[in-house]
Amino acid sequence: MTLDGFLSFLALFIAFYAIVSPVTRLRAQLHLAIQVPLALISVTLVLYFEFFSLLGLPCLLADAEACAWLIFPADGSFAPPQAAFLVVFVWMILAWCLNVLLRPGPGALVAVGKIVQTLLYERRFAELLDFIGPHLGLVEAAAERRLLWQQVHDWLSDANWLRRQKIRTFKPIEPEEDEQKSTKVGIGSRLHERFRKRIRWTKHFVPSGSKAQSNAESIARMLLRSDEFRKFLVTMRPDALPVLMGIKLQPRFDFSDKVLRDLITDSGCRLYQEIEQNQNLASNGGYALPDENILLRFLFEDAEVAHKLGAWKPIGDAVINAIRAGTNSGYAAYLNDRADDFEGERWKDIAFVGTRYFDIMVNEAIRQGVPYHMWLFYLPLFVTELEQIYNTSAQNVDTMAEFPTRNARLMYEVFDVMGNWVRNIRHLDPTSPQAAISDMGEFSSGVIPADAAVALGNAMVTVALSDRIGDTFASYLHDCVMSDISSLSRDGLEGRMRAILIRTIVEGGNRYPPARYGERLKTFVAMADHVLRGSVKDYTDALEVAASESRRRR
């Protein structure tokens, strides 16, 4: 390689660096600590060989055989320009391998933080997402103090030091293990603890990793607390949301709440599309979650994820707020219009989609045996808010229709979903935590079918005592509840569930309604089809008993 050739190579390299993507250039900056010394050594060797006639030094080694490898042959079979070319070739291969194979270490977090800050400031969110993706694992590990030197330092420092760090930083604290286990320490454990205490002084020679932890926390805060970046993800790159929502650091909870709130308030977003496309039923109850529904799979494939994130609150609050603000926004007028075209509009309706979201979430919790109710009690609140704006006074509304208004159709959907949760008891294995229905009939805050029965009773109180909902539609919803009762067997687990459902409907859930509630239920029973009424004689008998007790108390 001649000097002109080397200069041409440098010019091409600079031109290539100028045209590559900004993210590639940013990633290259993370390896400057190795790439710069390699480049300096290579350029020095190339210049030495290019000017060998001026700079060449004779071999001064005493061993003639060794000198034979360090001097150029006299016959010119291997000349200095060829050596320069070989240096450039090896340099290119080494530089490429280092850039591909090397992964940034804790020391690179400072540079990563600066790059993230710059990209956020310049609103280059697409580049930021491509850049930060490969480094999120390092950021999370450093913030959680899972890097090797951090773990060694914590082990040497104090047995409880790491837990105090979890409180100091923003790593969520997991429940403690059985406290009794800590009192049953074996001989080996005691020897291990004595050994650790004797060498504790060596912690001063082990890097604490606190700087890497601080830098990682700063990067996580910048990513998860940027409103503009979050809105870009929601609208343009929803496929990347699960990665950031899955970071096991404290800011993810606020980030997840805001993401879900943004999603449910945008009827054109990815969440609405996935819920509409997620209607196939699973063989054991609930819904199948196809691979393409990345948001729903992230939240509900393991329902504990939704449990830990509290994935019900932003959705439930958004639905309630939308209904409450309906008078001013026009949503109330829309709901109180005829429901003729609701089939084509429902997948853009926040209340309907929010109800289906809860349906998928709660069904997955039932199927997976998550010992929590997933705040299914939001659905009776939906009914309460819908009742507050219920109005059938418009001239084009047929009060005798199955669903006089869109509002009535939404109420039916809520009742149907809650009834489905109760009926899903038939799909449960008796050993499932969700099948642990108390024989004493006590309400459990973790058994979803039983809690769904309570929620159904609460919603029935709202409908039965409403001055806005006419008897015709209220009776129709009561017929739906009687159908839920009728669908349950009288034996075994279903029999116990049937008894609980009857009791919660008769007693009005946990709302303790006035005596007028029982009279309204008896009115609805009288309005029901005689075949349906005959299939729930245990329910009608329970109503009569409750009415008799009420009269005695008077």
Side-chain angles (χ1 to χ4, degrees):
M1 174 180 283
T2 63
L3 183 59
D4 291 341
F6 179 65
L7 294 176
S8 298
F9 165 78
L10 292 179
L12 289 173
F13 177 80
I14 294 172
F16 174 77
Y17 186 79
I19 65 174
V20 296
S21 67
V23 174
T24 301
R25 292 199 297 269
L26 292 173
R27 287 174 177 169
Q29 295 177 17
L30 299 178
H31 306 300
L32 291 180
I34 297 179
Q35 295 284 14
V36 169
L38 177 63
L40 290 176
I41 294 173
S42 301
V43 170
T44 301
L45 288 174
V46 169
L47 292 177
Y48 174 75
F49 290 131
E50 290 293 346
F51 295 97
F52 187 78
S53 59
L54 299 176
L55 303 176
L57 298 174
C59 180
L60 302 178
L61 296 177
D63 191 345
E65 293 183 0
C67 284
W69 292 95
L70 299 176
I71 61 176
F72 290 99
D75 58 3
S77 58
F78 185 68
Q82 294 173 316
F85 173 80
L86 184 61
V87 170
V88 171
F89 184 74
V90 173
W91 174 25
M92 291 173 58
I93 293 177
L94 289 177
W96 180 83
C97 291
L98 291 173
N99 190 62
V100 171
L101 299 178
L102 284 181
R103 291 290 179 265
L109 288 174
V110 176
V112 171
K114 291 180 179 178
I115 294 171
V116 168
Q117 187 177 25
T118 300
L119 293 176
L120 283 173
Y121 178 77
E122 296 178 358
R123 295 180 174 84
R124 294 156 61 184
F125 300 131
E127 297 175 29
L128 170 60
L129 192 59
D130 293 338
F131 167 75
I132 198 60
H135 310 308
L136 282 178
L138 174 63
V139 171
E140 186 176 354
E144 291 184 289
R145 300 194 61 81
R146 288 190 287 105
L147 298 178
L148 177 61
W149 291 116
Q150 290 175 327
Q151 292 181 341
V152 172
H153 185 274
D154 295 344
W155 181 77
L156 291 171
S157 298
D158 181 33
N160 296 321
W161 189 87
L162 179 57
R163 180 164 178 79
R164 292 202 300 270
Q165 284 296 301
K166 291 180 183 178
I167 298 175
R168 185 188 68 80
T169 63
F170 43 55
K171 175 176 170 53
I173 300 174
E174 302 296 338
E176 291 285 354
E177 295 182 358
D178 188 2
E179 295 293 341
Q180 295 180 355
K181 293 182 179 179
S182 61
T183 62
K184 299 179 180 180
V185 182
I187 298 177
S189 298
R190 288 198 296 269
L191 292 176
H192 176 271
E193 183 66 17
R194 289 178 182 177
F195 172 74
R196 186 182 62 80
K197 289 181 178 180
R198 289 184 179 275
I199 63 171
R200 185 173 294 172
W201 59 272
T202 59
K203 69 180 181 181
H204 301 291
F205 302 98
V206 179
S208 66
S210 57
K211 184 177 181 181
Q213 179 185 4
S214 177
N215 291 330
E217 291 173 353
S218 177
I219 293 170
R221 278 192 294 266
M222 286 189 290
L223 289 172
L224 300 181
R225 294 181 179 175
S226 171
D227 292 337
E228 292 181 327
F229 181 52
R230 186 190 73 250
K231 291 177 180 177
F232 165 80
L233 294 172
V234 169
T235 56
M236 304 300 295
R237 290 292 301 275
D239 57 298
L241 286 172
V243 177
L244 293 171
M245 294 170 69
I247 295 178
K248 294 181 177 60
L249 301 174
Q250 194 69 26
R252 70 170 173 151
F253 297 108
D254 184 56
F255 176 78
S256 298
D257 285 348
K258 292 179 178 179
V259 163
L260 292 174
R261 182 198 62 198
D262 293 343
L263 288 169
I264 197 62
T265 53
D266 180 6
S267 61
C269 74
R270 177 68 174 266
L271 181 63
Y272 277 71
Q273 298 171 12
E274 291 192 6
I275 291 176
E276 181 179 3
Q277 297 165 5
N278 208 100
Q279 301 181 57
N280 292 331
L281 298 177
S283 59
N284 55 350
Y287 299 88
L289 298 173
D291 293 338
E292 57 268 22
N293 287 353
I294 55 174
L295 294 177
L296 296 181
R297 285 187 68 85
F298 165 72
L299 290 169
F300 307 137
E301 185 178 29
D302 179 3
E304 280 291 350
V305 173
H307 179 200
K308 291 178 180 178
L309 290 178
W312 49 80
K313 188 178 190 321
I315 303 297
D317 288 348
V319 172
I320 290 174
N321 292 335
I323 299 173
R324 286 179 179 174
T327 303
N328 297 326
S329 66
Y331 186 49
Y334 166 80
L335 291 181
N336 291 321
D337 199 359
R338 292 173 63 93
D340 296 345
D341 53 354
F342 190 70
E343 287 297 323
E345 300 171 345
R346 56 182 179 162
W347 296 111
K348 297 296 182 182
D349 184 271
I350 184 173
F352 179 84
V353 172
T355 301
R356 285 298 162 194
Y357 174 91
F358 270 86
D359 192 20
I360 297 171
M361 175 176 65
V362 173
N363 271 309
E364 284 303 302
I366 294 175
R367 185 179 62 82
Q368 298 175 29
V370 177
Y372 196 68
H373 52 62
M374 308 300 283
W375 272 101
L376 57 86
F377 293 102
Y378 263 104
L379 265 65
L381 298 181
F382 292 177
V383 174
T384 300
E385 297 299 330
L386 290 170
E387 189 274 336
Q388 291 293 320
I389 63 170
Y390 194 90
N391 188 347
T392 57
S393 61
Q395 292 182 353
N396 64 335
V397 172
D398 180 8
T399 57
M400 299 304 294
E402 182 182 19
F403 304 116
T405 62
R406 297 185 181 95
N407 193 335
R409 174 62 187 275
L410 285 174
M411 283 192 180
Y412 165 77
E413 293 292 341
V414 174
F415 269 79
D416 181 62
V417 164
M418 291 188 291
N420 182 60
W421 295 338
V422 175
R423 295 191 302 269
N424 271 353
I425 192 74
R426 63 172 62 107
H427 297 293
L428 294 179
D429 186 280
T431 60
S432 170
Q434 290 297 338
I437 299 175
S438 173
D439 292 332
M440 301 297 295
E442 298 177 355
F443 301 140
S444 169
S445 61
V447 179
I448 288 176
D451 287 340
V454 177
L456 205 52
N458 291 344
M460 195 67 246
V461 172
T462 300
V463 171
L465 300 182
S466 173
D467 296 327
R468 301 178 180 87
I469 302 174
D471 284 357
T472 301
F473 183 65
S475 175
Y476 179 80
L477 293 178
H478 183 260
D479 287 351
C480 295
V481 174
M482 288 201 300
S483 296
D484 294 331
I485 297 172
S486 177
S487 67
L488 294 171
S489 169
R490 298 173 184 266
D491 303 320
L493 186 61
E494 285 189 52
R496 296 203 303 273
M497 187 69 254
R498 178 174 176 137
I500 289 177
L501 178 57
I502 291 173
R503 184 169 61 85
T504 56
I505 299 300
V506 171
E507 295 180 357
N510 55 12
R511 291 181 58 178
Y512 305 104
R516 186 168 69 92
Y517 170 71
E519 296 301 322
R520 292 285 291 166
L521 294 185
K522 291 176 67 176
T523 300
F524 298 150
V525 169
M527 296 172 64
D529 177 78
H530 70 281
V531 176
L532 178 60
R533 190 165 59 241
S535 66
V536 291
K537 192 174 183 305
D538 47 351
Y539 170 61
T540 57
D541 291 344
L543 277 178
E544 291 295 337
V545 171
S548 300
E549 292 179 352
S550 178
R551 286 192 293 269
R552 284 198 300 270
R553 285 196 296 267
R554 293 178 188 176

